[in-house]
Each structure stands twice: as structure tokens, then as C-alpha cells.
Amino acid sequence: MKINKDVRLLMKPYYYINILLSASYIAAKKLPFLCQYTFPRSESQCEFDSRESEILFFLMIVVMIRTRKAGSVTMINYLSSSFMYTKVANLILWFYADIRMGIFFGILLILVGLLLPEPAYKGPENVVYFRTAQGVEDEIMRNKKICWLVTFYTAWNPACVNFAPVFSQLSVEYHLENLNFGKIDIGRYPDAGKKYYVNDSPMSRQLPTVILFKEGKEVMRRPMIDAKGKLQKFFFSEDNVKAAFDLNNLYNECKNNPLKKKKELTDHQKSE
């Protein structure tokens, strides 16, 4: 089922066009009919020189490191996290080969970025979207018997984008009247990041951050900071989040202790 879902996603224009752009230079070099048309000057042009090989090798290392740091655990996650690096590497290679081709490829990247944004998750969810730091606090404190799992994210961070459908699915599976799920974009509302100590800089390793609030207080977060002040790496897969926050037991605990309904007034009380 998971494989079928990934294949269906790959059929969307965003993915297959970005795959083509990411492989454009290698394809132009290694496919004879493309190479003869793109690099017609000599046969040696269809082989990678030392500089091109260095760029491709460096790209491979960067993609491996960055996708792992982004918590990519599926094929789609790896692709989404690597597109930016592979396209930049291709841009450099095209400029290195021919400045005219580099300019053309750069314009093409801009157009694709504007016209084909990454598909957003459109499935069901039970998520409350906050717009201010005070809004988060007010909702958490409004009824301390409600547990809240809140994601602090930015729209531009690949790890946050990859985690969005996972969090939405968890919100559907575990939502209860007294177990709620929330999100706030600290890129748009940086005060929330400051208030809850989540760094939203481009180099931040705290994106996304998920915090569990019980009885109005923070009791757990991922990624967490250890006693030495070092941030602990955390991969935001569905299974990891379930295990880290013990969602099955939390769900059963909340389900066995539902919110008490206010007793309706009797007709006699109403008349008084």
C-alpha cells in the first residue's frame, strides 16, 4: 500500500519534472543522441572531466548528509529533501559547460518553482492552526485537562514539509476531546518560536519541534536538549513519534478519563 501511494505521488508533475531537472546534466552527457545535440563540439564532451566528477561526487555526499539530517525515511522524503541540492548542482554544471545553457536552466528552475510548488497534504486532519504565541498559551490554559501535541514549523523547511502529512494522520488517528493537536508556523509568527525556545533560522536543527503539553505545562519535546545542552537528533517518522510520545498509552489514558460534561439544569432550576 505504501509503495502504491509513493508511485501515485511520483506521477504528479512536481515530482517527475524535478526528477528530470535533477538528472538533466547527467542525461545530456550520457545519452548519445542528447549529447551530440547539446555538446556538438567533440566526442570528449560526452565524458565527465575531473571538475564535473568532483561536483557530482560532492553533490552525492551533500545529499546523503542533508537528507539524513532532515529525517528522510521514505523514497518521497529523500526526493523532496534532495531536489534543491541536485538542481543547484545541475545549475553549476550547466554554467560550467556553457553560460547560455546555465542561464536557460536557471530561468527554467525559477519558472518551475513558481508554477509547480510541492503538493500539500490534502487528507483529513484534526489540527488547530494557531496564529500567535498568546493564542497557543490561551488555548492550552483554557482547559488544563486537555492534552495538546503542538508542532512548531516553518513552511520552507524540508523536514517540516515531510512531517506535515505524518502529523495530520496522527491527528486523525489519536484525536479525542481531551487530546488535541495543534500547529503554528514560527516563520510567520516568530514570537511563538522565541516564547517556546524554538530556533527558526535557516540552519536550525530544531525544525520541526513537537511539544506535548499536559495540565497546561510542557512535559516533553522532540528534538530534545540533553543535560549538556546538546540537541539530540530525532527522525520524525510516524513510528518514532508514536514511540517517543507514547501516543498509544496517552490515547488510552485520555479515553479512560473523558472530560466531564456540565450537568444540564433541571426544569425546576431553570424556572428559578
Side-chain angles (χ1 to χ4, degrees):
M1 292 295 291
K2 180 63 176 175
I3 294 177
N4 292 337
K5 182 180 178 182
D6 287 349
V7 171
R8 287 196 299 271
L9 282 174
L10 289 176
M11 294 299 102
K12 294 186 176 182
Y14 170 83
Y15 290 101
Y16 66 74
I17 289 178
N18 275 284
I19 290 172
L20 291 175
L21 291 174
S22 299
S24 62
Y25 194 81
I26 295 177
K29 278 280 188 176
K30 290 303 181 182
L31 296 178
F33 63 95
L34 283 179
C35 184
Q36 293 172 7
Y37 176 78
T38 311
F39 307 102
R41 285 177 291 175
S42 66
E43 293 184 1
S44 62
Q45 286 295 101
C46 293
E47 298 295 332
F48 293 122
D49 63 22
S50 59
R51 179 62 60 83
E52 291 168 331
S53 299
E54 288 174 2
I55 293 173
L56 290 171
F57 182 72
F58 181 72
L59 168 66
M60 181 178 66
I61 294 175
V62 169
V63 169
M64 290 176 61
I65 293 174
R66 296 304 301 176
T67 52
R68 292 304 297 171
K69 284 187 175 181
S72 303
V73 293
T74 68
M75 175 180 65
I76 297 298
N77 291 159
Y78 272 109
L79 287 174
S80 298
S81 300
S82 65
F83 280 150
M84 179 177 68
Y85 308 107
T86 54
K87 288 186 293 187
V88 169
N90 274 268
L91 181 63
I92 294 171
L93 288 166
W94 281 116
F95 265 111
Y96 175 72
D98 188 327
I99 189 170
R100 293 169 299 177
M101 294 298 292
I103 293 172
F104 173 78
F105 188 78
I107 294 173
L108 190 59
L109 289 185
I110 294 172
L111 290 176
V112 170
L114 293 174
L115 300 176
L116 287 178
E118 183 168 0
Y121 175 76
K122 295 182 180 179
E125 64 177 15
N126 281 310
V127 177
V128 176
Y129 287 85
F130 299 107
R131 288 180 170 80
T132 63
Q134 191 61 44
V136 177
E137 183 177 5
D138 289 346
E139 189 62 30
I140 290 171
M141 300 301 293
R142 184 173 62 83
N143 189 336
K144 294 184 179 181
K145 293 183 179 179
I146 297 177
C147 296
W148 279 91
L149 203 65
V150 181
T151 295
F152 296 79
Y153 73 102
T154 62
W156 47 261
N157 182 274
C160 295
V161 173
N162 292 337
F163 181 56
V166 174
F167 192 73
S168 294
Q169 291 163 10
L170 291 173
S171 74
V172 173
E173 184 177 352
Y174 289 96
H175 177 268
L176 291 170
E177 189 178 10
N178 54 348
L179 177 54
N180 292 347
F181 292 74
K183 294 181 72 172
I184 184 165
D185 184 349
I186 60 174
R188 295 180 62 187
Y189 311 107
D191 288 349
K194 294 178 182 177
K195 181 177 179 65
Y196 292 96
Y197 306 103
V198 181
N199 186 348
D200 65 343
S201 71
M203 300 301 294
S204 174
R205 296 170 57 198
Q206 289 184 277
L207 295 172
T209 288
V210 179
I211 302 179
L212 175 63
F213 297 92
K214 296 178 72 174
E215 297 182 354
K217 298 179 181 178
E218 176 184 334
V219 296
M220 186 185 305
R221 73 165 60 197
R222 291 292 186 276
M224 63 180 293
I225 299 175
D226 62 20
K228 296 181 180 179
K230 185 177 180 180
L231 192 70
Q232 299 295 303
K233 184 184 296 184
F234 185 80
F235 292 158
F236 282 92
S237 67
E238 182 177 346
D239 291 338
N240 284 352
V241 173
K242 286 182 179 180
F245 292 95
D246 198 12
L247 285 184
N248 289 324
N249 286 330
L250 180 62
Y251 177 85
N252 290 329
E253 178 186 335
C254 292
K255 189 174 182 179
N256 294 330
N257 295 280
L259 298 178
K260 293 181 179 179
K261 302 288 185 180
K262 292 182 179 180
K263 295 182 179 180
E264 294 184 1
L265 295 175
T266 63
D267 291 338
H268 178 69
Q269 289 174 320
K270 289 178 181 179
S271 63
E272 291 181 349

